[in-house]
Amino acid sequence: MLKVNNYNSTQKNQILLVFAIILSLILCGELAIRAYSFDVEALTNHTGKYLSDFSSRFDKVRTGIEYLGLNIIYIVWLIINKNKKRDITFIKILRNSSFFLLIAFISYPITTDINLYVHYGLMDLNGINPFINPASTFTSKMSSFLVWKQTSTYGPISQIFFIVSAAFVAIAPSLGIYVFKLICLLFHILNTYLIWRQLKNYPQKNNVTIAYLVSPILLFEQVTNAHIDVLISTILITLIICLKNHNYIAATVTVWIGFLIKTLPIIWLPLIFVYLIKQQRWKSLFSAICISVVIIFAVYIIALPTVEAWESLLNPGVGNKVNGSLYALLTQVLHFKILNFSPSFQQTIFSIFKPIILFPFLVCYLVVLLKPYFKKNYSETNLSINIGWITLILFLFAAPWYCSWYSSVLLAVVALNIHSKRFVITSIVFSTTSTVAYYLIQGFPPFNVVTVIPTLALILFWFRRDIQAQKRMVAN
């Protein structure tokens, strides 16, 4: 019977592999066609108008369906192989996954962020500080392909990688893009290796490693589209490893390195400081605070010499804009023609509800911040999971401008805390619905329902179960 089951499992895996390869090749071709049409449109665009990712909704939906298909195949594969035992080396895992890694690298980016990355690098190479001067003030070979033209929202460490990529633009703009994509691919492999090493005593470590390495979300968002979030995943993985090894100074430095890549990691620092206070690790806390002050001062001297430069990291270009969030969902409801609300009334209602939407994040942050005092056996593992929860809740309630690739970083926490059923399920649902909805139905109102409602429903379900459990304890 065992042999029959293994044979059936192998046969199913082979069928899934064939479909995955076919869909990957089709999607790669779609992105190549899209890249050509986008480049032609960009080079002939003399109006300065916004360039959409796709020239038509049909192209977008078709590509989105192909991407959805890959995610479905991946989920079915996870279910079939969830109990399969593998005893293979990391090199063999890498070799077996090489086709999908190569396709992800070859496929041309669907979003335009990478063009901006390289442009910022070119600015720095020409002696122009991108944290003070908007992208629109400098003309380069990438200028025609830019959608956002503000000052840089990415930290000085990100800028180093942008400069490396920009150095190759003199040969060809596409070479600069692919150099950055290569950097992202190498970091994705590094992230997977770190996870594999950290899970050395976990029975399903190879399953988790393979699942992370070939995840369609990670390959598409962090390698194909080459978003800087791949570096934030590295930071998250390193941070969790430092915490579990009780290396709190290294954890603090890791958070600041993350902040100098993208601002998100700064919300994790208070959680670490409060944990150190609860553990009465005063020397570690004092050292962490001193290191933080030194880093801030050094960055001020080297890269961010003005208040405006620091404010640039907060993404002021999207100040009053909304996208893919509860805020965007509220805006879409207020814009329903059938309601016929006046613009002034819409603005009034939005200004009332905006702090109400933000409130759950503030409450959750405060609860998680003080959780070491509520839970008797609060460990570094609890802290790492709560870092993941706070990040997820931030995206859900406190990010008016939300893009699907943000949530890809949650999968790093998932991989290192696979035993945390609630967080794993909620994060996978949130990241999958976010990214699939973005590429499949963005622009079809209200696509945000698909993004936020399933995750909200799950969180409320877990909360209801906790309330019921507490009631049973009181009753007993």
Side-chain angles (χ1 to χ4, degrees):
M1 181 63 72
L2 183 60
K3 288 184 178 180
V4 172
N5 289 337
N6 287 338
Y7 175 76
N8 290 336
S9 176
T10 301
Q11 195 173 40
K12 290 175 182 177
N13 281 331
Q14 289 174 345
I15 293 171
L16 290 174
L17 179 62
V18 170
F19 278 111
I21 289 173
I22 292 171
L23 267 181
S24 298
L25 291 171
I26 292 173
L27 184 57
C28 181
E30 289 276 13
L31 296 182
I33 295 170
R34 176 262 169 195
Y36 175 77
S37 61
F38 179 85
D39 288 358
V40 169
E41 184 181 359
L43 291 171
T44 57
N45 177 32
H46 303 296
T47 63
K49 68 176 183 178
Y50 180 86
L51 296 173
S52 59
D53 289 338
F54 288 94
S55 56
S56 72
R57 282 192 173 185
F58 177 71
D59 292 339
K60 187 179 186 68
V61 170
R62 187 179 63 250
T63 304
I65 290 173
E66 293 157 5
Y67 179 56
L68 172 62
L70 282 172
N71 279 278
I72 291 173
I73 291 172
Y74 174 74
I75 292 170
V76 172
W77 174 80
L78 287 179
I79 294 171
I80 291 174
N81 295 276
K82 63 180 180 179
N83 296 319
K84 186 174 181 179
K85 293 184 178 180
R86 296 179 175 91
D87 186 18
I88 53 179
T89 64
F90 182 76
I91 295 299
K92 189 171 182 180
I93 291 173
L94 203 59
R95 187 168 62 247
N96 292 344
S97 307
S98 58
F99 171 81
F100 296 106
L101 296 175
L102 183 62
I103 284 292
F105 174 71
I106 293 173
S107 299
Y108 204 81
I110 198 173
T111 56
T112 58
D113 283 5
I114 192 170
N115 300 325
L116 192 58
Y117 299 164
V118 177
H119 183 79
Y120 286 143
L122 289 168
M123 291 177 69
D124 219 314
L125 287 175
N126 284 272
I128 300 172
N129 189 329
F131 301 105
I132 299 174
N133 303 282
S136 58
T137 62
F138 176 73
T139 302
S140 75
K141 291 183 178 180
M142 306 304 300
S143 294
S144 300
F145 309 105
L146 300 183
V147 170
W148 297 94
K149 300 182 180 181
Q150 62 191 60
T151 52
S152 180
T153 63
Y154 311 100
I157 292 180
S158 294
Q159 191 63 26
I160 294 171
F161 297 104
F162 300 165
I163 291 171
V164 171
S165 305
F168 292 85
V169 171
I171 302 172
S174 58
L175 183 57
I177 287 173
Y178 273 94
V179 167
F180 190 79
K181 278 172 64 69
L182 178 61
I183 291 171
C184 291
L185 174 62
L186 294 176
F187 268 98
H188 177 61
I189 294 172
L190 171 63
N191 294 344
T192 309
Y193 176 73
L194 291 175
I195 289 169
W196 183 78
R197 281 286 302 272
Q198 184 63 20
L199 297 177
K200 57 186 176 182
N201 297 322
Y202 182 66
Q204 298 292 326
K205 75 167 186 175
N206 286 325
N207 286 350
V208 174
T209 301
I210 296 168
Y212 189 88
L213 186 63
V214 300
S215 165
I217 294 172
L218 294 173
L219 289 179
F220 196 63
E221 300 288 20
Q222 297 189 357
V223 180
T224 294
N225 290 321
H227 286 117
I228 200 71
D229 303 79
V230 68
L231 300 181
I232 298 301
S233 293
T234 309
I235 293 300
L236 252 177
I237 293 166
T238 306
L239 173 61
I240 292 172
I241 291 173
C242 289
L243 290 175
K244 291 185 176 182
N245 291 332
H246 313 291
N247 196 336
Y248 306 111
I249 303 302
T252 302
V253 173
T254 299
V255 170
W256 277 108
I257 291 173
F259 172 76
L260 297 176
I261 294 171
K262 195 175 181 179
T263 53
L264 170 66
I266 200 65
I267 67 168
W268 309 329
L269 199 58
L271 302 181
I272 297 172
F273 283 179
V274 169
Y275 180 76
L276 292 177
I277 293 171
K278 177 62 173 64
Q279 297 293 320
Q280 297 184 355
R281 297 179 180 274
W282 306 116
K283 289 183 179 179
S284 295
L285 179 63
F286 179 74
S287 299
I289 292 173
C290 290
I291 289 171
S292 299
V293 172
V294 170
I295 290 174
I296 292 171
F297 183 73
V299 173
Y300 168 77
I301 296 295
I302 297 171
L304 304 173
T306 66
V307 173
E308 290 75 19
W310 285 91
E311 289 177 346
S312 178
L313 301 182
L314 301 177
N315 204 0
V318 299
N320 296 317
K321 298 178 181 179
V322 295
N323 179 68
S325 61
L326 281 170
Y327 302 87
L329 181 58
L330 174 61
T331 301
Q332 289 172 337
V333 171
L334 292 173
H335 278 79
F336 277 164
K337 291 183 178 180
I338 193 172
L339 298 176
N340 199 27
F341 291 144
S342 66
S344 59
F345 182 77
Q346 292 177 20
Q347 185 60 40
T348 300
I349 295 296
F350 185 80
S351 62
I352 292 172
F353 275 91
K354 188 173 182 179
I356 295 175
I357 296 174
L358 177 64
F359 184 70
F361 168 72
L362 298 176
V363 172
C364 289
Y365 193 86
L366 182 62
V367 169
V368 171
L369 196 63
L370 300 178
K371 214 165 186 178
Y373 292 93
F374 300 147
K375 189 171 182 177
K376 190 173 182 180
N377 298 316
Y378 190 86
S379 65
E380 287 81 3
T381 298
N382 298 128
L383 177 58
S384 68
I385 295 171
N386 284 326
I387 284 173
W389 274 117
I390 281 299
T391 306
L392 190 155
I393 299 298
L394 171 75
F395 293 153
L396 194 61
F397 291 104
W401 185 267
Y402 171 76
C403 295
S404 64
W405 47 89
Y406 297 174
S407 61
S408 65
V409 302
L410 296 173
L411 298 182
V413 187
V414 166
L416 291 174
N417 295 282
I418 202 71
H419 60 279
S420 180
K421 181 180 176 181
R422 292 186 179 188
F423 179 74
V424 168
I425 294 174
T426 309
S427 296
I428 291 175
V429 168
F430 182 57
S431 58
T432 303
T433 54
S434 293
T435 188
V436 169
Y438 185 87
Y439 296 106
L440 182 61
I441 58 173
Q442 186 195 30
F444 294 87
F447 94 94
N448 315 82
V449 171
V450 179
T451 303
V452 300
I453 298 303
T455 309
L456 269 176
L458 261 178
I459 291 173
L460 292 174
F461 175 73
W462 303 134
F463 182 72
R464 182 170 174 269
R465 287 188 62 177
D466 285 341
I467 296 297
Q468 290 175 338
Q470 290 177 3
K471 286 181 178 179
R472 285 194 295 268
M473 288 177 63
V474 171
N476 294 331

